[in-house]
Amino acid sequence: MKYLLVALQIVVLIAVSPFITGLIKKIKNFIRLRKGPGVFQPYYDLAKLAGKEEVISRDTSWIFAFAPYAVIGSVTAALLLVPAFGPGISLNRAGDLIAMIFILAFGRFFMALAGLDAGSAFGGMGSSREMFISSLVEPVALLSVFAVSLNCGSTDAQAVASYGTFRFSTLVATGALFAVTIAETSRIPVDNRETHLELTMIHEAMVLEYSGRSLALIELASHIKQVLFFSVIAAVAVPFGNYAVKMLVIAAAVAALEVSMAKMRLFRVVDMMSFSFVLSVIAVVISAMGY
Amino acid sequence: MQLAGNFGDLSGDYLSLFFLFTILLISVPAAVYSTGYMMGEYGGKKKAVLWALLAAFVSSMALVVLTANAFVFLVAWELMSLLSYFLVVSDFKHEKSVKAGTIYIVMTHIGTAFMTAAFLVMFRYSGSFDFSALKEACSTMPPEIKNIVFLMLLAGFGTKAGLVPLHIWLPYAHPQAPSHISSIMSAVMIKTAVYGMLRFVFMILGIGAIWWGNLVLVLALVSCLAGIMYALTENDLKRLLAYSSVENIGIIMLGVGASMVFMKMGLPAVSLLALCAGLFHLINHAVFKGLLFLCAGSIYKATGTRNIEHLGGLIKKMPVTAAAFLAGSIAISGLPPFNGFVSEWLTLQALFTGAVNTGGSYKIFLCVCAALLALTGGLAAACFVKAFGVTFLAVPRSRAAERAGEVPLSMKAPMVFLAAAAVLLGVGAPSAIRCISAVADSVIAAPAGGITLSASLNTVIIASAIFTASAAAFYFMRPRRTTECNTWDCGYYKLGARTEYSATAFSKPLRIAFGFFLLPYSKTEKIRDSFYHVRSFKYEVFTTPVFRDYVYEPAVKLVFMAARQVKKIQPGSIHVYVAYIFATIVLLVIFMGRF
């Protein structure tokens, strides 16, 4: 029964994931007093890409062809570990929150290699920046996960999700986790999905050579990754209240942040991540103090 | 005269056997590999010498981990160091090899001097070099002497392990040796130092104070971060791997140090877990670093260069080497389902469980340790994306890389074997951990129930989940029609190797962000045809090796300065020497008369 629920959860979350992206876009446009595309636009985009012919570079190797599958595989496997719909619904036998961070790194590793594979300077630049930012994000992600886990004494996502009492340290750690989410989902102020400007793009530069169905897979993987991080905040870090409502709140927060800030210079991201790191250390300190 | 102990005694406990197994696991494939590697590289006589040295080297390592007598241990240790020195300088026609050998032999002897001193102090209390006698004697040793012995042992073994700041020899010696030797040195020889730590500090000396563990933890963290940052900026493939060994020794020592701390805190279960993590990372690092050095050797053999800026596109020319290197890179970056992931996860779990069970400042300290380990992991992934991506992907950057071909079977087979071992140790982690916990059990008196984890991990499920999802995606979303075309060139012209992203450029953001430690500087040179026309630009980036420039060079300068001062009293004139002798006799007579 549990496994059935887990399977159902993963199918629903994957199916819903493009909608969240569409929703964020809609909220952004609402704030900007624009009409904007409908919330289902990401689905249409995926369908369009799935029907398209693929153009691949002559210089690429099997790494380039394989990377989209590795990425989708890693985000799906990571999604299995998050108890989104209820504290008991995840494959906690397979791994914990630490394992989740490492599994996501697996997909990123191949994505960065694929960026280098075509021999274009854009791809290399994207890979370099992606690995740079992710190596700064990783300690923050881990420490904020530690901070939320310290209170219940286990890094198991289910144990953290079913830990009933509200602790102040969790709130602070959630702040750091939110910064991680912004960086990992390529959102402003770290990255900007909406532009293909050579000098600023990170994720988009890395996937510049992709087209057709491979691009559709990569896009879908980004949607899933977004749902994954939102769910970690909604279901694991703040395990109170209605899951769907919390997801909407997080989406709205991300959208509000995106319209209210400009993209940072690459090396300002270091400051942002240092700040988040300090925030997560503070969370641990507060937890050590017993709050 | 009575012998100080039984020199022939061997210790056959799990710890010794575990290290013997690790040594053989790497040495045998490396030896097979060397048959192909040495072909065409060296002449017949030199080959024979190298074979003999290799056999003696591996035997001396085996003796180091098997003997049960400290004196024999020291002799075997010295043999191991000397034999590896000869192997490092086996390309003695290169000036670099000789320099590397010199740095190596000086550093290793400084380490041996510390160890000898430590053993002699222990011997004063025991009167025998037998491990059992030493252990008995150490229980009656006063704590301050224990502290001194520990510091000497740490300095001695730390030098061999390559703990920062004693790592200085490692990036010189490891790359300069023939690749199968680099592989053995980096994968197993530096691990004998971990064996020494476990044998002499854990089992014989006994952990005296909690600051011992703290010291090891801090040194380990510094090693992790410094090692990986230097590796990131390095473009010489074998030096990159050598620096990454410094990082991985740091991760191993993180487990060992955490184990020491937890033991003194009265948390034997967590201590056992931390030691298991350290030992598991030890064998994992042996496997993937051995593998990566063999791959680097294949690349060198095929292209004649170790500079990754001159490589590229090798995945099409050397598919097996590329796959093996990729496996090693994934494993060393700590990505599931490979073995490096499991041991890093275990280390993090140990730190977490420790943090849960302690309070106050230790909780914060351990969490920050874990976060810095995560930073190391992230940087390692970046480093190996660079190493693999620039070496194997895109377009060849030189003629040598264009003409490269796959290496012979005798070199491919050992690489494939070690790559398979990396997967097997990852997927079969539960069984491996069971064996290793028995080893850790023999080192520290384990509590009932063995290791307990706060969460579970199953690499088989993770691997099959990733595989199933990828396969489903492939089944439904496989491209139907594809067209081959040039890489997007903004409509200018056909891009070539010169417009590719280079390794130096790849690591630039990190060089800037960690500039406070790496202290990068660059040199620009304009080559002009005339005053008005610049024909070409030369741009070089360097990082400052802080430890070399600010620790070792001043030390060396000091030694030379002292030598010059001593030289002043040695003018070479016989009259002065006669005067010295006379003065000495007078002094002695006064001395004898007084006392």
Side-chain angles (χ1 to χ4, degrees):
Chain A
M1 186 59 198
K2 179 189 156 189
Y3 296 111
L4 215 64
L5 277 175
V6 171
L8 185 72
Q9 166 178 285
I10 204 159
V11 170
V12 171
L13 284 182
I14 290 175
V16 162
S17 62
F19 172 76
I20 306 273
T21 309
L23 189 71
I24 291 176
K25 219 170 233 168
K26 196 80 198 168
I27 299 172
K28 275 167 74 178
N29 281 314
F30 177 75
I31 301 173
R32 285 166 171 159
L33 302 177
R34 288 180 188 161
K35 189 153 181 280
V39 283
F40 295 107
Q41 189 58 40
Y43 292 97
Y44 306 144
D45 289 345
L46 288 177
K48 178 192 75 184
L49 285 172
K52 285 235 175 208
E53 168 190 37
E54 209 164 298
V55 183
I56 58 169
S57 161
R58 276 191 195 96
D59 299 327
T60 57
S61 63
W62 63 267
I63 298 276
F64 185 81
F66 175 69
Y69 307 113
V71 176
I72 201 101
S74 86
V75 289
T76 314
L79 199 56
L80 278 173
L81 306 179
V82 182
F85 290 174
I89 309 167
S90 76
L91 270 191
N92 67 329
R93 243 158 46 86
D96 57 353
L97 291 168
I98 304 173
M100 190 195 81
I101 298 171
F102 280 94
I103 293 172
L104 287 176
F106 176 80
R108 187 189 308 122
F109 187 83
F110 273 96
M111 206 64 256
L113 284 183
L116 285 165
D117 202 6
S120 135
F122 289 132
M125 202 184 291
S127 302
S128 164
R129 289 172 178 176
E130 172 87 2
M131 292 318 284
F132 168 61
I133 288 176
S134 73
S135 58
L136 297 174
V137 169
E138 204 134 309
V140 184
L142 187 94
L143 202 54
S144 45
V145 161
F146 264 34
V148 295
S149 310
L150 269 178
N151 295 334
C152 72
S154 167
T155 50
D156 188 346
Q158 289 189 6
V160 181
S162 53
Y163 181 72
T165 39
F166 176 77
R167 302 271 288 256
F168 186 59
S169 55
T170 313
L171 192 69
V172 178
T174 307
L177 213 50
F178 188 72
V180 169
T181 305
I182 295 291
E184 285 278 346
T185 52
S186 311
R187 293 271 171 203
I188 291 174
V190 175
D191 191 4
N192 189 355
R193 277 276 163 88
E194 290 172 354
T195 170
H196 277 184
L197 187 67
E198 292 91 334
L199 297 177
T200 64
M201 57 184 175
I202 300 173
H203 183 267
E204 290 303 314
M206 204 166 48
V207 302
L208 196 68
E209 286 295 321
Y210 279 106
S211 54
R213 292 190 153 190
S214 297
L215 186 59
L217 280 178
I218 292 169
E219 296 275 311
L220 181 63
S222 325
H223 298 318
I224 301 175
K225 197 174 176 187
Q226 178 169 284
V227 162
L228 172 82
F229 272 98
F230 286 10
S231 299
V232 169
I233 294 180
V236 181
V238 194
F240 317 98
N242 188 298
Y243 171 72
V245 173
K246 278 184 291 185
M247 291 294 273
L248 289 181
V249 170
I250 295 165
V254 167
L257 188 74
E258 278 213 297
V259 287
S260 57
M261 275 189 94
K263 189 194 165 294
M264 278 181 186
R265 210 155 56 81
L266 185 64
F267 291 99
R268 284 283 306 282
V269 177
V270 180
D271 301 341
M272 178 184 159
M273 281 302 134
S274 313
F275 173 74
S276 320
F277 185 75
V278 172
L279 205 60
S280 49
V281 171
I282 290 171
V284 172
V285 172
I286 294 170
S287 166
M289 283 158 64
Y291 294 102
Chain B
M1 196 185 107
Q2 203 198 339
L3 285 176
N6 298 317
F7 287 173
D9 268 7
L10 293 181
S11 99
D13 62 357
Y14 282 151
L15 185 68
S16 296
L17 295 180
F18 172 72
F19 275 87
L20 185 67
F21 174 72
T22 312
I23 289 169
L24 293 179
L25 183 67
I26 308 304
S27 301
V28 173
V32 173
Y33 178 90
S34 74
T35 56
Y37 183 75
M38 292 197 294
M39 205 180 292
E41 199 91 358
Y42 304 108
K45 266 186 195 160
K46 184 143 186 191
K47 257 192 225 170
V49 173
L50 281 179
W51 270 114
L53 280 174
L54 174 64
F57 176 45
V58 175
S59 316
S60 67
M61 277 195 294
L63 187 59
V64 164
V65 299
L66 282 180
T67 181
N69 183 293
F71 188 79
V72 179
F73 179 88
L74 214 54
V75 171
W77 187 268
E78 187 59 22
L79 262 179
M80 177 178 85
S81 304
L82 286 177
L83 288 165
S84 52
Y85 165 75
F86 287 125
L87 287 163
V88 167
V89 296
S90 62
D91 293 325
F92 56 82
K93 285 193 181 114
H94 291 279
E95 204 181 312
K96 268 188 179 170
S97 297
V98 179
K99 188 187 167 203
T102 310
I103 294 174
Y104 172 45
I105 203 150
V106 169
M107 282 310 288
T108 191
H109 278 93
I110 291 174
T112 314
F114 276 112
M115 282 165 54
T116 313
F119 286 176
L120 287 177
V121 172
M122 288 200 275
F123 180 71
R124 253 181 64 108
Y125 287 86
S126 67
S128 161
F129 279 117
D130 281 338
F131 284 173
S132 47
L134 285 177
K135 188 173 180 172
E136 244 170 67
C138 283
S139 56
T140 59
M141 200 183 273
E144 55 275 27
I145 303 285
K146 258 190 176 180
N147 287 344
I148 293 169
V149 171
F150 165 71
L151 287 176
M152 288 196 290
L153 285 175
L154 184 64
F157 291 126
T159 312
K160 191 54 126 193
L163 273 184
V164 173
L166 300 165
H167 69 289
I168 193 85
W169 62 275
L170 218 142
Y172 288 97
H174 287 207
Q176 226 44 54
S179 292
H180 58 287
I181 302 301
S182 323
S183 160
I184 297 178
M185 281 175 73
S186 220
V188 284
M189 188 188 77
I190 58 174
K191 308 295 160 48
T192 55
V194 180
Y195 169 80
M197 282 290 286
L198 295 180
R199 177 67 74 190
F200 289 99
V201 176
F202 276 69
M203 297 172 81
I204 290 177
L205 197 58
I207 293 149
I210 200 156
W211 64 263
W212 294 15
N214 292 344
L215 180 65
V216 174
L217 270 180
V218 170
L219 284 178
L221 279 177
V222 173
S223 300
C224 280
L225 290 171
I228 197 61
M229 279 185 205
Y230 284 135
L232 256 168
T233 52
E234 193 55 65
N235 287 341
D236 178 329
L237 190 54
K238 281 174 83 175
R239 273 179 77 105
L240 183 152
L241 293 175
Y243 274 126
S244 137
S245 289
V246 175
E247 175 229 333
N248 279 283
I249 274 290
I251 300 178
I252 296 167
M253 290 311 244
L254 206 59
V256 172
S259 173
M260 291 165 84
V261 169
F262 296 144
M263 204 192 302
K264 279 319 270 187
M265 281 182 163
L267 300 166
V270 194
S271 172
L272 188 71
L273 174 61
L275 190 61
C276 273
L279 285 173
F280 195 31
H281 197 74
L282 185 144
I283 191 167
N284 289 342
H285 177 245
V287 168
F288 52 64
K289 191 48 68 65
L291 168 66
L292 287 168
F293 262 115
L294 293 187
C295 293
S298 301
I299 294 163
Y300 178 68
K301 177 101 176 156
T303 62
T305 180
R306 298 188 326 223
N307 187 347
I308 55 176
E309 296 281 39
H310 296 156
L311 300 172
L314 290 180
I315 194 167
K316 286 162 205 135
K317 313 269 168 36
M318 309 169 76
V320 178
T321 308
F325 196 98
L326 181 64
S329 302
I330 296 176
I332 203 166
S333 308
L335 302 177
F338 284 64
N339 57 358
F341 159 65
V342 186
S343 45
E344 279 190 30
W345 185 85
L346 273 180
T347 312
L348 289 171
Q349 270 296 330
L351 292 171
F352 176 78
T353 318
V356 169
N357 288 314
T358 54
S361 53
Y362 257 103
K363 202 174 221 150
I364 301 158
F365 175 54
L366 291 170
C367 283
V368 171
C369 281
L372 292 181
L373 181 59
L375 176 63
T376 311
L379 292 173
C383 177
F384 281 90
V385 164
K386 169 185 126 172
F388 183 83
V390 176
T391 310
F392 286 100
L393 301 179
V395 198
R397 291 177 176 82
S398 68
R399 292 290 295 277
E402 256 165 52
R403 279 179 298 197
E406 188 58 280
V407 290
L409 180 68
S410 58
M411 291 165 80
K412 272 190 284 189
M415 291 192 283
V416 172
F417 169 77
L418 286 176
V423 179
L424 213 63
L425 278 171
V427 177
S431 324
I433 291 168
R434 251 198 305 285
C435 297
I436 285 162
S437 72
V439 176
D441 235 26
S442 73
V443 177
I444 48 183
I451 56 173
T452 45
L453 293 164
S454 81
S456 51
L457 179 76
N458 191 326
T459 33
V460 179
I461 301 181
I462 292 175
S464 41
I466 295 177
F467 178 78
T468 313
S470 312
F474 182 72
Y475 182 77
F476 291 114
M477 294 286 279
R478 184 174 53 223
R480 278 177 309 186
R481 285 169 297 145
T482 53
T483 317
E484 277 209 345
C485 196
N486 292 337
T487 302
W488 169 239
D489 54 9
C490 304
Y492 283 116
Y493 49 86
K494 172 88 181 76
L495 298 177
R498 283 170 56 83
T499 52
E500 274 176 68
Y501 221 57
S502 64
T504 312
F506 190 92
S507 51
K508 176 136 191 182
L510 291 145
R511 223 171 19 244
I512 294 176
F514 297 109
F516 61 88
F517 173 69
L518 293 167
L519 308 175
Y521 60 97
S522 60
K523 277 185 194 161
T524 321
E525 205 181 313
K526 287 177 187 171
I527 300 162
R528 295 167 183 277
D529 278 345
S530 69
F531 181 74
Y532 301 103
H533 182 240
V534 176
R535 184 154 50 95
S536 62
F537 251 82
K538 202 175 165 194
Y539 176 77
E540 273 183 291
V541 184
F542 306 90
T543 53
T544 316
V546 182
F547 294 101
R548 197 190 73 192
D549 286 9
Y550 295 108
V551 179
Y552 285 92
E553 277 186 357
V556 169
K557 256 187 213 147
L558 222 62
V559 169
F560 274 101
M561 231 159 69
R564 266 194 293 277
Q565 295 302 321
V566 172
K567 207 169 92 180
K568 279 184 191 157
I569 60 165
Q570 299 242 15
S573 147
I574 188 111
H575 304 96
V576 179
Y577 289 121
V578 170
Y580 286 159
I581 293 169
F582 181 70
T584 312
I585 291 170
V586 170
L587 277 175
L588 279 176
V589 167
I590 295 170
F591 185 78
M592 297 299 260
R594 270 292 191 87
F595 302 100

Short mmCIF file of all heavy atoms in Angstrom, two decimals, chain A residues 127-147:
data_model
loop_
_atom_site.label_atom_id
_atom_site.label_comp_id
_atom_site.label_asym_id
_atom_site.label_seq_id
_atom_site.Cartn_x
_atom_site.Cartn_y
_atom_site.Cartn_z
N SER A 127 28.94 25.31 -17.75
CA SER A 127 29.35 24.21 -16.86
C SER A 127 30.21 24.74 -15.74
O SER A 127 30.03 24.37 -14.57
CB SER A 127 30.18 23.18 -17.63
OG SER A 127 29.45 22.68 -18.68
N SER A 128 31.15 25.59 -16.10
CA SER A 128 32.06 26.13 -15.09
C SER A 128 31.28 26.86 -14.01
O SER A 128 31.50 26.65 -12.82
CB SER A 128 33.04 27.07 -15.78
OG SER A 128 33.69 27.87 -14.87
N ARG A 129 30.34 27.71 -14.44
CA ARG A 129 29.58 28.49 -13.46
C ARG A 129 28.66 27.60 -12.65
O ARG A 129 28.49 27.80 -11.44
CB ARG A 129 28.77 29.56 -14.18
CG ARG A 129 29.66 30.64 -14.73
CD ARG A 129 28.87 31.57 -15.59
NE ARG A 129 29.70 32.65 -16.09
CZ ARG A 129 29.28 33.56 -16.94
NH1 ARG A 129 28.03 33.52 -17.38
NH2 ARG A 129 30.07 34.51 -17.35
N GLU A 130 28.06 26.63 -13.31
CA GLU A 130 27.14 25.74 -12.60
C GLU A 130 27.88 24.98 -11.49
O GLU A 130 27.41 24.90 -10.36
CB GLU A 130 26.52 24.74 -13.59
CG GLU A 130 25.70 23.64 -12.95
CD GLU A 130 24.26 24.04 -12.72
OE1 GLU A 130 23.90 25.16 -13.10
OE2 GLU A 130 23.52 23.23 -12.16
N MET A 131 29.06 24.44 -11.84
CA MET A 131 29.80 23.69 -10.83
C MET A 131 30.31 24.63 -9.73
O MET A 131 30.38 24.25 -8.57
CB MET A 131 30.99 22.95 -11.47
CG MET A 131 30.61 21.82 -12.41
SD MET A 131 29.26 20.78 -11.85
CE MET A 131 30.04 19.78 -10.61
N PHE A 132 30.65 25.83 -10.12
CA PHE A 132 31.11 26.83 -9.14
C PHE A 132 30.01 27.11 -8.12
O PHE A 132 30.22 27.02 -6.91
CB PHE A 132 31.51 28.10 -9.90
CG PHE A 132 31.72 29.32 -9.04
CD1 PHE A 132 32.70 29.31 -8.07
CD2 PHE A 132 30.96 30.46 -9.22
CE1 PHE A 132 32.91 30.43 -7.28
CE2 PHE A 132 31.16 31.57 -8.45
CZ PHE A 132 32.13 31.56 -7.47
N ILE A 133 28.82 27.42 -8.66
CA ILE A 133 27.73 27.77 -7.75
C ILE A 133 27.29 26.57 -6.94
O ILE A 133 27.07 26.66 -5.73
CB ILE A 133 26.57 28.39 -8.55
CG1 ILE A 133 26.98 29.78 -9.02
CG2 ILE A 133 25.30 28.46 -7.71
CD1 ILE A 133 25.99 30.46 -9.88
N SER A 134 27.23 25.41 -7.60
CA SER A 134 26.74 24.25 -6.86
C SER A 134 27.70 23.86 -5.75
O SER A 134 27.28 23.38 -4.70
CB SER A 134 26.51 23.08 -7.80
OG SER A 134 27.74 22.55 -8.20
N SER A 135 29.02 24.07 -5.96
CA SER A 135 29.93 23.70 -4.89
C SER A 135 29.79 24.66 -3.71
O SER A 135 30.09 24.30 -2.58
CB SER A 135 31.37 23.64 -5.37
OG SER A 135 31.76 24.86 -5.91
N LEU A 136 29.30 25.88 -3.97
CA LEU A 136 29.05 26.79 -2.85
C LEU A 136 27.71 26.48 -2.18
O LEU A 136 27.54 26.69 -0.98
CB LEU A 136 29.03 28.24 -3.35
CG LEU A 136 30.33 28.75 -3.94
CD1 LEU A 136 30.13 30.13 -4.51
CD2 LEU A 136 31.41 28.79 -2.88
N VAL A 137 26.77 25.98 -2.99
CA VAL A 137 25.44 25.70 -2.46
C VAL A 137 25.46 24.45 -1.58
O VAL A 137 24.78 24.37 -0.57
CB VAL A 137 24.43 25.53 -3.62
CG1 VAL A 137 23.12 24.97 -3.12
CG2 VAL A 137 24.20 26.85 -4.33
N GLU A 138 26.30 23.48 -1.97
CA GLU A 138 26.29 22.18 -1.30
C GLU A 138 26.47 22.28 0.22
O GLU A 138 25.68 21.69 0.97
CB GLU A 138 27.37 21.28 -1.91
CG GLU A 138 27.06 19.83 -1.71
CD GLU A 138 27.24 19.02 -2.98
OE1 GLU A 138 26.70 19.40 -4.02
OE2 GLU A 138 27.93 18.02 -2.91
N PRO A 139 27.48 23.03 0.73
CA PRO A 139 27.59 23.10 2.19
C PRO A 139 26.37 23.72 2.86
O PRO A 139 25.97 23.29 3.94
CB PRO A 139 28.84 23.96 2.42
CG PRO A 139 29.16 24.58 1.14
CD PRO A 139 28.59 23.72 0.07
N VAL A 140 25.77 24.73 2.20
CA VAL A 140 24.59 25.36 2.78
C VAL A 140 23.44 24.37 2.82
O VAL A 140 22.74 24.24 3.83
CB VAL A 140 24.18 26.61 1.96
CG1 VAL A 140 23.02 27.30 2.64
CG2 VAL A 140 25.35 27.55 1.79
N ALA A 141 23.27 23.64 1.70
CA ALA A 141 22.19 22.65 1.65
C ALA A 141 22.38 21.63 2.76
O ALA A 141 21.44 21.31 3.50
CB ALA A 141 22.19 21.97 0.28
N LEU A 142 23.60 21.14 2.89
CA LEU A 142 23.84 20.09 3.89
C LEU A 142 23.64 20.61 5.30
O LEU A 142 22.99 19.98 6.13
CB LEU A 142 25.27 19.55 3.75
CG LEU A 142 25.44 18.37 4.67
CD1 LEU A 142 25.16 17.10 3.93
CD2 LEU A 142 26.78 18.34 5.31
N LEU A 143 24.15 21.81 5.56
CA LEU A 143 24.06 22.32 6.92
C LEU A 143 22.62 22.64 7.29
O LEU A 143 22.20 22.42 8.43
CB LEU A 143 24.95 23.56 7.07
CG LEU A 143 25.37 23.87 8.49
CD1 LEU A 143 26.04 22.69 9.13
CD2 LEU A 143 26.33 25.05 8.51
N SER A 144 21.85 23.16 6.32
CA SER A 144 20.45 23.45 6.67
C SER A 144 19.68 22.15 6.87
O SER A 144 18.81 22.06 7.74
CB SER A 144 19.79 24.35 5.63
OG SER A 144 20.08 23.92 4.34
N VAL A 145 20.03 21.12 6.09
CA VAL A 145 19.41 19.80 6.30
C VAL A 145 19.79 19.27 7.68
O VAL A 145 18.96 18.75 8.42
CB VAL A 145 19.85 18.83 5.18
CG1 VAL A 145 19.64 17.39 5.60
CG2 VAL A 145 19.09 19.11 3.91
N PHE A 146 21.05 19.45 8.04
CA PHE A 146 21.51 19.02 9.38
C PHE A 146 20.71 19.76 10.45
O PHE A 146 20.30 19.17 11.45
CB PHE A 146 23.00 19.31 9.55
CG PHE A 146 23.88 18.13 9.26
CD1 PHE A 146 23.54 17.23 8.28
CD2 PHE A 146 25.05 17.93 9.97
CE1 PHE A 146 24.35 16.14 8.00
CE2 PHE A 146 25.87 16.83 9.71
CZ PHE A 146 25.52 15.94 8.72
N ALA A 147 20.53 21.06 10.22
CA ALA A 147 19.87 21.86 11.24
C ALA A 147 18.43 21.40 11.46
O ALA A 147 17.98 21.28 12.60
CB ALA A 147 19.90 23.33 10.86
#
